[in-house]
Amino acid sequence: MSHVPLKLGLLAAAAVWTAGCASVGVPVSGGRGVRIVAAENFWGSIALQLGGAHAGVQSIIVNPAQDPHSYEPTTADARAMASAQLAIVNGVGYDPWASKLLAANPVPGRVALTVGSLFGLHEGDNPHRWYDPSEVLQVARAITAALSELDPHHAGYFAQRLTRFDTGDLAQYHALIAQIRSRYAGVPVGASESIFALLAPALGLHLITPPSFLNAISEGTEVTAQDTSTTERQITGHAIKVWVYNAQNVTPEIQRLNGLARANRIPIATVTETLSPAGDSFEQWQVHQLRGLQAALHEATGR
């Protein structure tokens, strides 16, 4: 396979890439080729599958109980980022600590992929890009292009891994999304925060929780009394059929709304921000969550 320069292979994403270096080895999973460090394990899982035998991957955020928004990096994290040949960070204000670690070690040779920059996003936009199925594939393509740039000798291998990831590894994920969209299109649902706002349209579901409520819970800011009242009425009045909540961000307010949903016999579906359990692959994690949502929708609608 002929080598395609990175700036061409990423469509219009040249601005996403920045320079740094790799010098020391880090504990990794996978092969011994390109050293990859991902700020979060959902991107790390994808990178591991794409790199195969010719890449090793270390993810920093791996604990399902850890809130990535408030993570405090360690000196080991700083060393890991400094040693990466390819660093993957989410951006969009989600993991500012990761960008700071990269900026603190600006040595030539390292490639950094900031997911938010790939899509032209800025702080204040929804940072949960791994919940948008179309963007997941675009990020996978960007990672493959980076791997091919760093190790052009194995560009053909990386291209094969990308095809396998899209058509094989993600097959059940794609199929469940299509099934839910076909069977439950237009069903009104509620959610505890904005993590679900990117997946709902792909599933054809009508997310009616006020966007300002979703954003406030996600960002840890105060929820207005009007948004709280609206969300409560949507639950008690059965305007929503299913309530979706992020189990990694359960504030007292969300615990109260979860109880309200149970009291009103609104089925509840759970999502998390990072892989849960941590040992699952990206697609295993997402398929498990989609099945849970599908079961909740079936319970609510009888379809």
Side-chain angles (χ1 to χ4, degrees):
M1 174 179 176
S2 60
H3 172 56
V4 179
L6 178 60
K7 62 184 179 181
L8 298 179
L10 290 186
L11 303 176
V16 175
W17 307 96
T18 56
C21 110
S23 56
V24 208
V26 294
V28 294
S29 298
R32 296 187 178 183
V34 177
R35 290 190 296 279
I36 304 173
V37 177
E40 296 88 13
N41 62 0
F42 39 81
W43 297 130
S45 171
I46 292 172
L48 179 62
Q49 294 177 78
L50 296 171
H54 297 294
V57 181
Q58 178 180 2
S59 297
I60 293 178
I61 298 287
V62 297
N63 184 352
Q66 174 67 56
D67 182 0
H69 298 270
S70 58
Y71 183 72
E72 293 291 338
T74 66
T75 53
D77 298 333
R79 288 195 297 270
M81 279 292 190
S83 71
Q85 290 175 281
L86 170 59
I88 306 171
V89 302
N90 191 75
V92 207
Y94 187 75
D95 47 11
W97 52 269
S99 298
K100 290 176 183 176
L101 291 181
L102 291 175
N105 294 279
V107 236
R110 180 180 60 213
V111 171
L113 167 59
T114 301
V115 171
S117 299
L118 183 65
F119 301 110
L121 302 171
H122 306 281
E123 189 165 352
D125 292 325
N126 192 326
H128 307 105
R129 312 319 298 183
W130 60 100
Y131 271 96
D132 184 320
S134 65
E135 291 187 8
V136 166
L137 185 54
Q138 292 180 68
V139 172
R141 289 170 179 157
I143 293 171
T144 299
L147 289 168
S148 298
E149 180 73 11
L150 289 164
D151 183 5
H153 180 69
H154 293 108
Y157 172 84
F158 296 134
Q160 290 173 356
R161 298 287 297 188
L162 175 62
T163 299
R164 172 180 170 178
F165 178 68
D166 181 28
T167 62
D169 299 333
L170 291 182
Q172 196 170 22
Y173 167 75
H174 291 315
L176 278 169
I177 290 171
Q179 288 170 18
I180 292 172
R181 185 171 60 244
S182 173
R183 186 170 299 174
Y184 301 107
V187 172
V189 298
S192 68
E193 65 151 276
S194 64
I195 193 169
F196 190 63
L198 294 173
L199 181 58
L203 298 173
L205 300 176
H206 183 31
L207 178 58
I208 65 171
T209 308
S212 48
F213 176 93
L214 300 174
N215 293 335
I217 296 296
S218 180
E219 295 166 11
T221 57
E222 187 174 353
V223 181
T224 67
Q226 181 179 352
D227 282 347
T228 298
S229 177
T230 298
T231 304
E232 288 175 349
R233 286 198 308 271
Q234 290 174 347
I235 294 173
T236 59
H238 291 82
I240 63 169
K241 298 299 183 184
V242 170
W243 173 252
V244 182
Y245 86 102
N246 175 10
Q248 280 178 262
N249 189 14
V250 186
T251 64
E253 173 71 6
I254 296 306
Q255 289 177 328
R256 188 180 65 81
L257 291 173
N258 287 351
L260 196 61
R262 293 188 189 98
N264 284 273
R265 298 187 178 181
I266 303 291
I268 297 175
T270 304
V271 295
T272 59
E273 297 204 27
T274 58
L275 304 184
S276 181
D280 271 3
S281 67
F282 172 84
E283 60 273 17
Q284 287 172 328
W285 168 54
Q286 288 290 311
V287 162
H288 176 74
Q289 293 188 148
L290 287 167
R291 283 177 174 163
L293 176 59
Q294 189 176 46
L297 288 163
H298 173 70
E299 179 184 348
T301 66
R303 300 181 206 167

